[in-house]
Amino acid sequence: MNEAEPQIVVKDLDMGYGSFILIRNLNFIVNKGDIFIIMGGSGCGKSTLLKLLVGLKEPLSGQVFYDGTSFWEAGPEEQKRIMRRFGILYQSGALWSSMTLAENVAIPLEQYTSMTRAEIQDLVSLKLALVGLAGFEDFYPSEISGGMRKRAGLARAMALDPDILFFDEPSAGLDPVSARLLDDLILELRDSLGTTFVVVTHELGSIFAIGNNSVYLDVQTRTMTASGDPNRLLAESKDPTVRAFLTRGAEGK
Amino acid sequence: MAIESIDQTSSHLKLSNPDSTTLVIHLTDDWRTTSHLAAFENVCQGLETMPSLNKVLFDASGLTGWDSKLLTFVLKVRGWCDDRKVDLALEGLPGGVQRLLHLALAVPERQGARKDAERQPFFPRVGEKALQVYASAGEMLAFLGSACVAFGQLLKGKASFRRSDLMLFVQESGVQAFGIVSLVSILVGLIFAFIGAIQLKTFGAQIYVADLVGIAMVRVMGAVMAGIIMAGRTGANYAAQLGTMQVNEEIDALQTLGISPMEFLVLPRMMALILMMPLLCVYADIMGILGGLIVGVTMLDLNPVVYLNETKASFNMTNLWIGLIYSAMFGVIIALSGCLRGIQCGRSASAVGDATTSAVVTGIVSIIIATAILTVIFSILNV
């Protein structure tokens, strides 16, 4: 990898609901081409942090910069422009249930490109084939299994070849082999397209296999207690809760 | 060791105190959820009689079986002992019980996790409700505002939604509503004619039933009946659809793609209703007049041609326009209340139900209020 180039910079971020602070004082940098893991125990605010990073939820205080632009200080047009470069895979897939898989993947393309119908169709087939769903174009989300829905969601997230892909628990609900294939796909996309990934997960296998940067959110102290390469954290971290998390409770605590 | 038995004993439980500072709880027989056991309160009374108590022991030698019932009992004793700084020794319990208790107590209770059961006094509750109303009115206005903005985008030709969606909604809220609109409108026409007939017959003025039904249906009732039917039918449909989309994160997915849910979801629904409501209103008018005709012909022995001629004579375009204005207004109201409640929906199955209920209630209440306001305005304008 070349010189590290910061893509997302999070500065003094506090988040919560109303007057309730869920997590305070977050500072971290996601570089271009990183596979950045957000990890932590249940209820520590991982998903909330993801929501905030994709622009769905406003922080209580602090800033998030994308390529140097502060998201929450930018105007709505600028925000839209930034968000257009995101691809997001939701926990349950969040496919639009009134549309077929092909239509789901086609919507972003119809919205933001001037491709013809036929070109869009070709691209949709390619994206679906990439996630192993070739031939499922005309199925509705309710007609396929949960794992397939998730993969279709990934195809939609990849439709516009985004700069940053956000994943909310990608391997939850997938069988081990599919989860492994998804990890391989993530690595492949990173290497071939240079996509940055932000992944919320507590699947240890995935964390060590794909992550090269991370942040650990601690429930008790309500802040981040570790950050960096998860493999290095496993080797060097002194924090007992981080150690316990990374070793499935075998060490630490 | 002198064993002095205390009164509160039962078939499953005996208390004894080898000395004045120690209490032994003897557990006997079967301690399962299905068996009737001594209430903890009985034991408690026994415990309270020993002011100098500082150690509680268990003796499970007579125990023949146990399940979670025993665990809850031990936890209660433990809570009691903690409150009074009395030592509790668990060694006398079966090994399994000890290990499970250890597991249950391994993660300390999260501070503040327990929901406050405390009931607020009257005034704070009223205040809170008032603030909620204020906040929800703000949300409603914000929604209305962004609906207007989306409509502006539409006029500029920049709104992004799928034409096929619009066509589908037009079909759903148009043709497919004919059945129920026919039924209800005919019946309303019938009822009007009946009531009118009873009064008018006494003056021998049956023929004016045609005027009564015609004017009432065309001017306001056709629009109101169509509006209320559509609020229950299509407003609820919209709220449930959007609510479920909210639950499935589908609306988030639109937003993060930079597609405005207002344009993509609300606009086609609102347009479909604004286009279809006036048509449904005219249809309801005709059906209502048909209902009146049925009563006129069968009950009042009027000639159908005479009846229709009388209706025609009473008909004027102003009334029709007024009816159409009402119904277009209702179209906006129904679509907005349905979509608003759907988009506000929480993330659970019961929230979708609440959203649907609330959409229908909001829709119908708004229709009635709008009717009242418009009626006053029209009477001031003398039309």
Side-chain angles (χ1 to χ4, degrees):
Chain A
M1 197 118 312
N2 307 335
E3 195 75 358
E5 201 181 325
Q7 181 134 43
I8 309 176
V9 178
V10 170
K11 229 174 152 184
D12 302 325
L13 199 70
D14 288 357
M15 58 187 198
Y17 300 89
S19 60
F20 172 72
I21 294 184
L22 189 60
I23 289 282
R24 60 163 62 88
N25 208 8
L26 289 178
N27 285 289
F28 57 83
I29 294 172
V30 180
N31 290 315
K32 236 176 208 131
D34 266 358
I35 297 178
F36 187 89
I37 313 273
I38 300 173
M39 52 189 179
S42 313
C44 67
K46 297 190 295 285
S47 293
T48 312
L49 175 57
L50 193 77
K51 263 203 175 143
L52 198 145
L53 287 179
V54 301
L56 277 178
K57 189 177 156 36
E58 212 169 328
L60 293 180
S61 67
Q63 284 167 320
V64 185
F65 297 90
Y66 297 92
D67 291 326
T69 314
S70 173
F71 186 82
W72 297 105
E73 287 171 355
E77 281 308 310
E78 181 77 9
Q79 288 188 343
K80 258 192 167 173
R81 197 185 57 73
I82 294 175
M83 280 167 76
R84 203 164 299 166
R85 294 162 43 226
F86 297 167
I88 300 148
L89 172 61
Y90 292 87
Q91 217 170 93
S92 56
L95 295 169
W96 297 303
S97 41
S98 58
M99 300 178 209
T100 63
L101 297 193
E103 287 175 317
N104 261 286
V105 182
I107 289 281
L109 298 166
E110 284 170 8
Q111 288 290 322
Y112 294 121
T113 65
S114 49
M115 283 193 271
T116 64
R117 199 167 274 268
E119 283 173 321
I120 289 181
Q121 218 148 45
D122 290 344
L123 207 89
V124 166
S125 299
L126 166 74
K127 299 284 171 181
L128 283 173
L130 271 180
V131 294
L133 284 175
F136 282 92
E137 278 86 349
D138 293 329
F139 279 64
Y140 282 93
S142 55
E143 297 171 331
I144 56 176
S145 75
M148 288 159 90
R149 245 175 286 186
K150 194 159 252 185
R151 281 184 279 156
L154 177 58
R156 184 181 69 189
M158 298 190 317
L160 289 169
D161 293 328
D163 295 344
I164 313 173
L165 263 171
F166 294 91
F167 284 20
D168 195 359
E169 308 259 2
S171 36
L174 290 187
D175 62 89
V177 178
S178 305
R180 171 67 199 272
L181 286 176
L182 188 65
D183 286 354
D184 291 347
L185 183 65
I186 292 176
L187 288 171
E188 188 53 51
L189 287 173
R190 197 265 309 264
D191 293 343
S192 50
L193 297 173
T195 313
T196 307
F197 286 85
V198 175
V199 184
V200 165
T201 185
H202 37 222
E203 208 71 30
L204 280 178
S206 288
I207 292 177
F208 294 125
I210 61 173
N212 71 339
N213 198 351
S214 70
V215 59
Y216 181 86
L217 305 182
D218 188 55
V219 191
Q220 296 297 328
T221 53
R222 300 208 172 286
T223 184
M224 54 187 274
T225 50
S227 65
D229 187 331
N231 290 296
R232 203 186 38 110
L233 281 182
L234 178 66
E236 295 171 7
S237 175
K238 300 277 188 293
D239 190 305
T241 51
V242 176
R243 288 213 70 82
F245 182 88
L246 291 176
T247 56
R248 270 191 109 224
E251 290 176 38
K253 279 237 157 156
Chain B
M1 191 162 62
I3 294 183
E4 181 197 332
S5 194
I6 293 177
D7 282 341
Q8 274 74 27
T9 57
S10 76
S11 58
H12 291 84
L13 190 71
K14 277 195 175 57
L15 303 177
S16 66
N17 38 346
D19 57 62
S20 65
T21 61
T22 311
L23 178 87
V24 182
I25 301 175
H26 300 274
L27 304 166
T28 55
D29 300 330
D30 195 10
W31 273 75
R32 285 185 217 253
T33 325
T34 45
S35 47
H36 292 283
L37 300 176
F40 171 71
E41 287 66 35
N42 293 347
V43 183
C44 230
Q45 281 174 13
L47 297 172
E48 302 287 1
T49 57
M50 298 177 58
S52 56
L53 185 71
N54 65 13
K55 193 167 177 61
V56 174
L57 302 169
F58 282 103
D59 167 28
S61 50
L63 198 65
T64 57
W66 59 272
D67 65 5
S68 304
K69 183 97 178 181
L70 177 59
L71 292 180
T72 54
F73 173 78
V74 176
L75 281 176
K76 273 187 183 160
V77 175
R78 184 177 179 276
W80 187 91
C81 291
D82 277 357
D83 287 348
R84 288 162 186 73
K85 308 262 180 300
V86 173
D87 276 343
L88 179 72
L90 299 174
E91 283 73 31
L93 291 167
V97 176
Q98 288 185 39
R99 284 193 295 276
L100 283 177
L101 281 174
H102 184 71
L103 206 60
L105 302 171
V107 178
E109 183 171 323
R110 171 117 54 115
Q111 285 304 311
R114 212 173 270 265
K115 296 253 163 59
D116 267 339
E118 196 185 340
R119 229 179 120 75
Q120 290 256 8
F122 178 72
F123 285 109
R125 263 189 291 147
V126 171
E128 231 162 57
K129 274 270 182 282
L131 286 177
Q132 277 171 13
V133 168
Y134 180 72
S136 87
E139 271 176 39
M140 224 182 248
L141 288 178
F143 189 83
L144 208 61
S146 44
C148 290
V149 171
F151 217 81
Q153 292 290 97
L154 175 75
L155 295 180
K156 278 194 271 174
K158 284 205 292 191
S160 55
F161 61 89
R162 303 199 318 161
R163 304 289 175 275
S164 58
D165 278 356
L166 176 63
M167 290 303 142
L168 183 72
F169 296 134
V170 164
Q171 186 192 350
E172 275 179 356
S173 59
V175 183
Q176 289 179 3
F178 271 8
I180 185 158
V181 172
S182 317
L183 178 72
V184 174
S185 306
I186 288 182
L187 289 178
V188 168
L190 274 173
I191 294 165
F192 267 133
F194 257 120
I195 298 169
I198 295 164
Q199 301 292 319
L200 292 170
K201 233 178 172 174
T202 52
F203 305 109
Q206 295 95 309
I207 187 64
Y208 289 108
V209 166
D211 299 59
L212 173 80
V213 174
I215 293 174
M217 288 308 293
V218 172
R219 191 175 168 108
V220 60
M221 282 318 287
V224 171
M225 289 329 291
I228 288 181
I229 293 166
M230 294 309 276
R233 194 182 170 277
T234 306
N237 177 341
Y238 290 173
Q241 275 181 359
L242 297 190
T244 312
M245 289 185 77
Q246 187 71 270
V247 173
N248 288 342
E249 300 179 307
E250 290 176 42
I251 292 182
D252 286 357
L254 277 176
Q255 251 168 353
T256 47
L257 211 61
I259 301 176
S260 150
M262 215 62 207
E263 289 173 20
F264 197 83
L265 300 173
V266 178
L267 206 52
R269 286 173 168 82
M270 197 158 79
M271 282 190 351
L273 270 181
I274 294 176
L275 290 175
M276 287 299 107
M277 274 303 291
L279 295 182
L280 280 177
C281 167
V282 171
Y283 181 74
D285 294 348
I286 296 171
M287 286 294 136
I289 291 170
L290 184 68
L293 180 71
I294 294 171
V295 171
V297 172
T298 57
M299 229 181 86
L300 305 173
D301 294 328
L302 293 170
N303 183 310
V305 177
V306 174
Y307 185 96
L308 286 178
N309 272 334
E310 184 64 33
T311 306
K312 201 173 144 200
S314 71
F315 175 84
N316 73 47
M317 277 314 276
T318 315
N319 283 347
L320 182 68
W321 278 117
I322 288 175
L324 292 182
I325 291 172
Y326 276 120
S327 61
M329 187 76 195
F330 296 161
V332 178
I333 289 174
I334 296 164
L336 282 182
S337 56
C339 295
L340 167 73
R341 297 306 179 198
I343 288 203
Q344 284 176 337
C345 179
R347 304 237 152 158
S348 69
S350 68
V352 176
D354 292 345
T356 314
T357 312
S358 163
V360 175
V361 171
T362 314
I364 291 179
V365 169
S366 313
I367 283 175
I368 303 294
I369 293 175
T371 310
I373 293 174
L374 283 178
T375 308
V376 170
I377 291 176
F378 288 141
S379 74
I380 291 171
L381 294 177
N382 249 331
V383 286

